[in-house]
Amino acid sequence: MKKSYWERTDLEKIQSQWHKLTGLHTREEWSAAIVRAATAAELAANFAIRKEFVSRSKFDTNFVDTLLQWANGLAGKTDHLLLPLTVGKKEHKTIKKLKAMSGQINGKRNSIVHRGEFCNEGEAKAAIQRARIFIETLVQMHQPTFKLKDKKS
């Protein structure tokens, strides 16, 4: 029996979103694929933030989940949680580089979701590639062997 979405780990949710976007992309649902890519990127941020809190604090998961909701969105999670959590750590430099990428990912998503923008294939490919780099770079800081798997057609 298939595990419900809410029972999945962050990494399983990221991969589910990635499989979904692969199918949307092959059906030329460019804008929807971009939204799924951005969702997967935000889930990657959640994963990294949770890992940082587990390694550095004794906060319970409910408190961390409240912080994730408060940070609201990929940009908020990057600016308000990931960057401050990694100050003084070797990962901080990489997170600073990912910040610009997160702004691009979030900006394109917001244009679609909040302004009804439609995107073409080239925009979708670029956004999805940015999201892949963001996700794999961020997740591999805590799970070095992680790679997104495209859904097989």
Side-chain angles (χ1 to χ4, degrees):
M1 186 164 131
K2 195 172 179 180
K3 195 187 280 190
S4 91
Y5 186 78
W6 302 112
E7 294 174 332
R8 296 175 193 173
T9 66
D10 285 333
L11 294 181
E12 290 169 333
K13 288 177 182 178
I14 292 165
Q15 192 57 63
S16 294
Q17 292 293 328
W18 203 259
H19 278 176
K20 186 69 157 177
L21 87 81
T22 305
L24 291 166
H25 194 267
T26 59
R27 291 193 314 269
E28 300 184 7
E29 296 281 349
W30 314 124
S31 300
I34 291 170
V35 171
R36 290 289 178 173
T39 301
E42 189 169 337
L43 291 168
N46 289 353
F47 171 79
I49 291 163
R50 284 190 176 105
K51 288 292 188 182
E52 287 297 324
F53 272 108
V54 164
S55 73
R56 299 175 65 178
S57 75
K58 297 205 183 304
F59 290 132
D60 68 25
T61 56
N62 290 333
F63 178 74
V64 175
D65 287 344
T66 300
L67 289 176
L68 291 170
Q69 289 174 339
W70 164 80
N72 190 29
L74 185 57
K77 290 173 184 181
T78 303
D79 293 344
H80 302 302
L81 294 172
L82 276 173
L83 282 168
L85 278 167
T86 59
V87 168
K89 294 182 79 179
K90 66 180 180 351
E91 294 90 353
H92 189 69
K93 189 175 180 181
T94 303
I95 299 294
K96 284 174 74 172
K97 289 178 184 173
L98 291 176
K99 177 183 171 21
M101 195 175 287
S102 75
Q104 293 172 322
I105 293 165
N106 204 48
K108 184 53 79 177
R109 176 225 175 256
N110 287 349
S111 294
I112 295 164
V113 173
H114 297 297
R115 291 184 285 287
E117 180 181 305
F118 291 99
C119 298
N120 62 37
E121 181 179 12
E123 291 170 305
K125 283 184 177 179
I128 291 166
Q129 183 57 27
R130 260 192 303 278
R132 179 186 291 276
I133 293 166
F134 179 89
I135 293 163
E136 289 181 347
T137 302
L138 192 54
V139 172
Q140 286 172 2
M141 289 178 181
H142 300 280
Q143 192 89 24
T145 60
F146 179 82
K147 284 274 189 210
L148 287 167
K149 297 173 199 77
D150 292 337
K151 187 175 184 176
K152 298 198 178 11
S153 304

